[in-house]
Amino acid sequence: MSTRTRPMTSDELLRFDDPSVRVELDRGGLIAMPLPGGRHGRIGSKILRRVGNFVEDHRLGETYTAETGFLLQRDPDTVRGADVAFVSRARLEPLGDPEGHLPLAPDLVVEIVSPSDRPGRIASKLTEWLDVGARMVWWVYPDRREVVEHRPGLAPRAITAAEDLDGGDVLPGFRVRLADLFDGGA
């Protein structure tokens, strides 16, 4: 058994190999997360398709899946993933096409609440995303059929399944009926 005496780096995390868990790096420490279930994946896939198609059609930037790491802090390193993320073309162009973790926060972060998520962890992660530069965070609550939109300096806004979810100034013109993201296709 080896005992780690120093924080793990973003580069070391890229070589981490344990397919049984998803991991993030929190100030150099590994955080293991259970793989999400079917409903979580179905909703995430619908959001990714809708946002991704809109972003591609309007040449706004790129969308990313949960497997993408965003390097939010160095020394010690913090690498987070979002269930779905969007980064604008203007912010990506200076980076080229990095093979490693993206050294920025997404413009839009979408997090789908899982049964293992706890309120304190959700609040902490939300604060972190906004503090490092995310312009909008959607917390998706499948059980409540609701999305809570968070933006820096503004009060949270709850959007129910009877309403439309829109991209505001982060994804101008994007709109989807929220119920369509929750409803199953079987």
Side-chain angles (χ1 to χ4, degrees):
M1 180 173 162
S2 88
T3 304
R4 190 166 187 87
T5 59
R6 63 175 181 74
M8 182 180 271
T9 67
S10 168
D11 290 337
E12 291 168 327
L13 181 61
L14 285 169
R15 295 186 300 276
F16 181 79
D17 186 21
D18 183 347
S20 67
V21 294
R22 287 176 46 194
V23 294
E24 292 181 336
L25 202 55
D26 186 6
R27 292 178 290 269
L30 276 178
I31 304 284
M33 298 167 287
L35 293 173
R39 179 174 65 171
H40 183 117
R42 179 180 51 76
I43 292 169
S45 177
K46 286 183 175 193
I47 294 169
L48 179 65
R49 280 195 314 270
R50 300 293 196 328
V51 171
N53 288 340
F54 182 85
V55 165
E56 188 171 305
D57 289 349
H58 294 87
R59 302 179 47 124
L60 297 176
E62 295 291 341
T63 53
Y64 297 91
T65 62
E67 295 79 19
T68 305
F70 293 90
L71 178 59
L72 306 180
Q73 175 184 319
R74 280 268 191 210
D75 300 321
D77 294 358
T78 294
V79 176
R80 299 276 184 227
D83 291 311
V84 176
F86 158 72
V87 181
S88 69
R89 185 176 56 190
R91 293 182 61 229
L92 284 172
E93 284 177 349
L95 300 177
D97 191 18
E99 192 172 315
H101 298 123
L102 291 168
L104 48 68
D107 294 279
L108 170 65
V109 172
V110 181
E111 296 276 13
I112 302 166
V113 176
S114 296
S116 63
D117 288 326
R118 299 293 172 253
R121 177 87 174 115
I122 291 169
S124 173
K125 209 169 178 184
L126 168 64
T127 299
E128 183 175 39
W129 281 122
L130 294 174
D131 285 351
V132 297
R135 296 173 51 208
M136 183 163 40
V137 178
W138 291 340
W139 278 99
V140 180
Y141 292 86
D143 287 343
R144 299 186 333 216
R145 294 176 55 87
E146 172 181 272
V147 170
V148 179
E149 178 183 284
H150 299 269
R151 299 181 61 119
L154 298 176
R157 181 172 72 105
I159 301 129
T160 67
E163 300 174 83
D164 287 351
L165 181 63
D166 72 75
D169 63 349
V170 176
L171 290 172
F174 175 80
R175 182 174 296 288
V176 64
R177 189 174 151 256
L178 191 54
D180 291 344
L181 301 178
F182 291 119
D183 293 339

